[in-house]
Amino acid sequence: MTSQPAFGTDRGRALVAWLREMRDEHPVWQDGQGLWNVFRYADVQRVMTDPTTFSSDTTRLVPSMSHLQRGTLTRMDPPAHHKLRRLISHSFTPKRVAGLAPRITAIATQLLDDLVGAEQFDLVGAFTYPLPVIVIAELLGVPTSDRKLFHEWADHLLGVARTNFRTEEFAKIVEEGMREMDAYLLAHCRERRLTPRDDLISDLVTAEVDGERLDDEEVVNFSRLLLLAGHITTTLLLGNTVLCFDENPQSASDVRAAHGLIPSALEEVLRYRSPFPMMARVSTRDVEIAGTTIPVNQMVLVWLLGANHDERQFAEPERFDVHRASNDHVAFGHGIHFCMGAPLARLEGRIAVELLLTRLADIRITPGDPLEFYPTVFGAKALPLTVRWA
């Protein structure tokens, strides 16, 4: 059995081939670090819809990380998860998200206006990073002028090589990477307790769960999640869209000819190049999956990218098809932890891709140096483009 290839090897082709091998031959597999990996679509869905057996609270294996995850929605189980999710869900209702469309359009338009005439530029640095980070910063109520800081913090955390999540060493690396960001968010949290505003941080500091307000640590941890997840997903989605179009010129032509295909094209990008390839859970009892018993108190990695390429669920899964009729992918998760920011990411993606295809008559990845991919998420750090303006 071959070991897992790096995410960016050969633009991810080697990883996708490895996932196919694992689905066929080792659907449940314990790697050299003792982590249990689950690859097939049905099994991934089973894990994600059973929080009683597969807990999201990974701190039960690494207690030293507890203070970093208190109030972090993705690391919580019911009933506390449901209570906290209700607090913030009103900020991501379809109606409220749809109301952001004019502002998103204005930001994206300005970013492209700043590039007019440039025949070459880095799409990530110039467009796909600043667009969603400005949007989420405005929602949170932190200065958009600090987005260079946000980029540095996110890049540091995304650049931490995958290692054994259960070790104290890993916990220390993560904590060091979050220290400056958490201090920054704590200052905003304390300021909002004195003077609330119309923003998400104010919503968090003033909200109550069963008559109790969130403490500073919980507000900071949740704000950190919103700041990071609120831009990383869209940044990766947009970059991956350009990668997919670059590799599939007919698909790019089809979408250019009919912008109504943009939503389905984005869903296919999410399936084909899922931004977050895996999610972590902890087994709370001995449990059998695909004929293999996973013991209690084990770290379980569910491969969203593996599930999204499972031929048991998707016809010709390794063919990028913007016309795919059925696309029930799990790129945004499944069950109680389905990403509440998914409507915002989809809206940002639709607006951004439509503007790119309208303003740019031709978009090509500049040939030259190999693209550098992140080691923990599925996407390129930079996308050098050569373009022709419409």
Side-chain angles (χ1 to χ4, degrees), residues 110-375:
Q110 184 59 58
L111 290 170
L112 289 176
D113 285 348
D114 293 342
L115 294 169
V116 168
E119 295 181 354
Q120 293 187 329
F121 56 86
D122 169 30
L123 182 70
V124 176
F127 187 72
T128 68
Y129 168 73
L131 171 60
V133 86
I134 289 172
V135 173
I136 196 62
E138 290 183 351
L139 285 172
L140 279 169
V142 298
T144 59
S145 57
D146 289 337
R147 62 181 182 267
K148 183 178 178 181
L149 274 176
F150 309 153
H151 201 178
E152 291 173 357
W153 294 333
D155 260 13
H156 177 80
L157 291 171
L158 294 178
V160 175
R162 178 186 165 188
T163 183
N164 196 323
F165 306 130
R166 298 172 297 183
T167 63
E168 296 300 320
E169 179 184 3
F170 180 77
K172 184 177 180 181
I173 291 172
V174 171
E175 183 171 14
E176 289 176 352
M178 293 178 174
R179 185 173 294 126
E180 185 179 352
M181 176 168 40
D182 287 357
Y184 174 93
L185 292 170
L186 179 60
H188 282 281
C189 165
R190 289 174 173 168
E191 192 274 336
R192 294 312 190 284
R193 290 200 188 280
L194 296 174
T195 312
R197 306 178 193 173
D198 183 19
D199 56 42
L200 290 181
I201 293 180
S202 296
D203 288 350
L204 291 173
V205 300
T206 57
E208 293 186 355
V209 182
D210 291 344
E212 295 183 6
R213 291 193 174 185
L214 303 177
D215 61 31
D216 287 353
E217 189 173 83
E218 291 171 312
V219 172
V220 166
N221 290 347
F222 200 1
S223 298
R224 184 205 312 127
L225 171 66
L226 292 171
L227 179 59
L228 292 175
H231 79 268
I232 290 171
T233 302
T234 301
T235 296
L236 295 171
L237 169 59
L238 292 175
N240 286 343
T241 299
V242 172
L243 274 170
C244 289
F245 284 176
D246 185 71
E247 295 169 356
N248 301 274
Q250 185 58 56
S251 293
S253 296
D254 289 352
V255 177
R256 276 191 180 278
H259 286 186
L261 283 174
I262 291 175
S264 64
L266 290 172
E267 296 306 310
E268 181 68 345
V269 173
L270 286 163
R271 183 196 69 81
Y272 191 81
R273 271 200 164 89
S274 311
F276 294 91
M278 65 181 78
M279 299 175 66
R281 296 291 186 266
V282 176
S283 58
T284 62
R285 61 178 177 86
D286 292 356
V287 58
E288 182 178 310
I289 299 180
T292 298
T293 297
I294 300 176
V296 65
N297 288 330
Q298 299 294 303
M299 188 76 78
V300 180
L301 300 181
V302 287
W303 279 86
L304 307 181
L305 182 63
N308 286 337
H309 280 259
D310 192 347
E311 61 279 356
R312 298 159 189 80
Q313 176 68 25
F314 301 98
E316 298 182 80
E318 292 173 24
R319 179 170 62 89
F320 181 78
D321 182 7
V322 298
H323 302 280
R324 190 174 293 276
S326 177
N327 200 346
D328 191 18
H329 64 75
V330 291
F332 285 122
H334 187 71
I336 65 170
H337 285 286
F338 182 84
C339 177
M340 68 167 56
L344 177 58
R346 285 170 165 143
L347 178 64
E348 290 172 330
R350 179 182 62 76
I351 291 171
V353 171
E354 184 161 13
L355 281 171
L356 284 171
L357 296 181
T358 300
R359 302 285 298 273
L360 299 171
D362 190 52
I363 304 172
R364 300 181 189 277
I365 295 178
T366 305
D369 295 336
L371 298 177
E372 182 183 2
F373 281 68
Y374 287 104

